[in-house]
Amino acid sequence: MAEAEESPGDPGTASPRPLFAGLSDISISQDIPIEGEITIPVRSRIREFDSSTLNESVQNTIMRDLKAVGKKFMHVLYPRRSNTLLRDWDLWGPLILCVTLALMLQRGSADSEKDGGPQFAEVFVVVWFGAVTITVNSKLLGGNISFFQSLCVLGYCILPLTVAMLICRLVLLAEPGPINFMVRLFVVTVMFAWSVVASTAFLADSQPPNRKALAIYPVFLFYFVISWMILTFTP
Amino acid sequence: MATTAAPTGAARNGAGPEWGGFEENIQEPLSSQGGGSAVIDMENMDDTSGSSFEDMGELHQRLREEEVDADAAAAEEEDGEFLGMKGFKGQLSRQVADQMWQAGKRQASRAFSLYANIDILRPYFDVEPAQVRSRLLESMIPIKMVNFPQKIAGELYGPLMLVFTLVAILLHGMKTSDTIIREGTLMGTAIGTCFGYWLGVSSFIYFLAYLCNAQITMLQMLALLGYGLFGHCIVLFITYNIHLHALFYLFWLLVGGLSTLRMVAVLVSRTVGPTQRLLLCGTLAALHMLFLLYLHFAYHKVVEGILDTLEGPNIPPIQRVPRDIPAMLPAARLSSTVLNATAKAVAVTLQSH
């Protein structure tokens, strides 16, 4: 070892010496195992992984995606400071929630005199364009979250409001009255607060610390508009 | 080894005839590369030790270099084959297609990065919460100094958020008063009204400012009018919940007047000449105050007599039929009032046809 250390540090050698020539005097004992793969394994392994998900049955794919969506639903219902939603984002959950909400909020018939509720397209457009606007705003304020991650979080945090819509629908089956309205108001307010808190837990870390309020306010407005649509819905 | 071979290859290329030169050029990198790797290989083989880790590192680097060289050699080989008339048509069409693809991709990515780059807007959103708060409060305080141009903050976050807040308040008001929109949607109407006012009136006043030679840019005008909507938001939020006419008129004069005075003062400080000042500021004041009046009455409640006389035989396609609702909002009486008002609305439409 001493020879190996001396030879590279020797400035007097004019001729360029081969790299490991100084180590030729050292021998290894035979019981150190020297084995391993010489080929570079990374690329071939990725190709194997891709083809394996392509060949699996449709049921496996759907169940895997549904499980991922369900896991994210659990994260939204019990919001902790985690980045599960951010790490592997997907837009299946937001799509399911948005379509469910829009279907339930649909107006009875197109030319009814009573304005029962918005149309399907209205809810859809409000949800998606609202989410896009909030994402662009948070990126412009200096947040380091990607476009689709933000869409994913905002879409998943509509889950409490969808639950509120289901409850309101059930409550509306009973007789109308002030108690009816108060119950619905209470449920929608609680779920609105839950949505805002859940999305804050996920989004707050990606913003610069002094601008969190600026990024959270449009989220508040967005869920307020959706809550208002839910609260004022009459079948 | 490879570096020593290349200059000689180039020299040979320039000196000799073209066909021979190219063939030698092809062979040169391969042989030199093989020679280089062979030399390094021999060195490593001599060692009976060294950690396998260092060997692996050397091996990986050599494999990577081999790959790069193989790619370069393959490309040169392809060129050589092309020029050497082997598989001429296939090579030519493939190369042309490849070049077109590259050119198209380059153009598309350039256009995308030019137009879809949101970083253009980034400097206008560079604000702190404290700044936004102070600007909101300042928008209600008219400043008396009109002798030198007053500073307008050119940011878009505050105005944009205020327009969205106005949309939300409008929706709340329309729902509370059971406004019906035929052949339109509530959301669409609210968004269209608010954004239309903000962008349209800003552009119009900017155009007038250009005529009157006022020193204001489009961004500053957008910011000024946006912050002027703060007064509107406050007035509408209060009066949509407390339905008293006298209260509305008081707030209209006080709060609306204050925010209008502030905008007028800023514009006066940036305009020269009494006629120009009068034109510009009179227009802005009229539009701003009338907009508040319109928002309150058209989306909240209208005296039914005015509606009947104004509309007459021609009913516009988007027809709003607001209802008169009692001061409190008891849900029990809501259904009966809705029924009465529905009957009235049907009567109105039948009368006009």
Side-chain angles (χ1 to χ4, degrees), chain A residues 72-73 76-77 85 93-102 104-105 123-124 126-131 134 150-166 191-192 194-196 198-199 202 219 222-223 226-227 229-230:
Chain A
K72 292 200 186 85
F73 279 172
V76 170
L77 286 178
L85 252 68
L95 183 67
I96 295 172
L97 287 171
C98 180
V99 169
T100 315
L101 196 63
M104 285 196 291
L105 273 175
V123 177
F124 215 80
V126 162
V127 167
W128 288 102
F129 275 97
I134 295 173
S150 175
L151 278 186
C152 169
V153 168
L154 288 167
Y156 270 104
C157 291
I158 295 180
L159 177 66
L161 287 170
T162 312
V163 170
M165 182 69 221
L166 282 167
M191 292 302 182
F192 162 66
W194 199 337
S195 284
V196 174
S199 62
F202 291 117
V219 176
F222 174 63
Y223 289 129
I226 298 181
S227 319
M229 283 199 286
I230 292 173

Side-chain angles (χ1 to χ4, degrees), chain B residues 47-66:
Chain B
D47 298 330
T48 52
S49 77
S51 68
S52 52
F53 180 75
E54 283 170 357
D55 277 351
M56 285 289 282
E58 270 290 303
L59 211 60
H60 279 199
Q61 194 176 7
R62 194 165 26 95
L63 279 168
R64 233 179 287 133
E65 281 168 12
E66 267 184 22

Side-chain angles (χ1 to χ4, degrees), chain B residues 11-24:
Chain B
R12 237 176 287 167
N13 187 14
E18 287 170 342
W19 309 113
F22 275 119
E23 285 185 291
E24 277 171 345

Side-chain angles (χ1 to χ4, degrees), chain B residues 59 71 182 190 243 315 328 339:
Chain B
L59 211 60
D71 283 347
R182 286 196 206 102
H243 317 291
I315 294 190
M328 299 290 290
L339 215 54

Side-chain angles (χ1 to χ4, degrees), chain A residues 11-34:
Chain A
T13 52
S15 62
R17 307 186 53 179
L19 273 170
F20 296 114
L23 297 173
S24 55
D25 301 17
I26 302 167
S27 64
I28 50 165
S29 61
Q30 289 303 313
D31 44 358
I32 299 178
I34 303 175

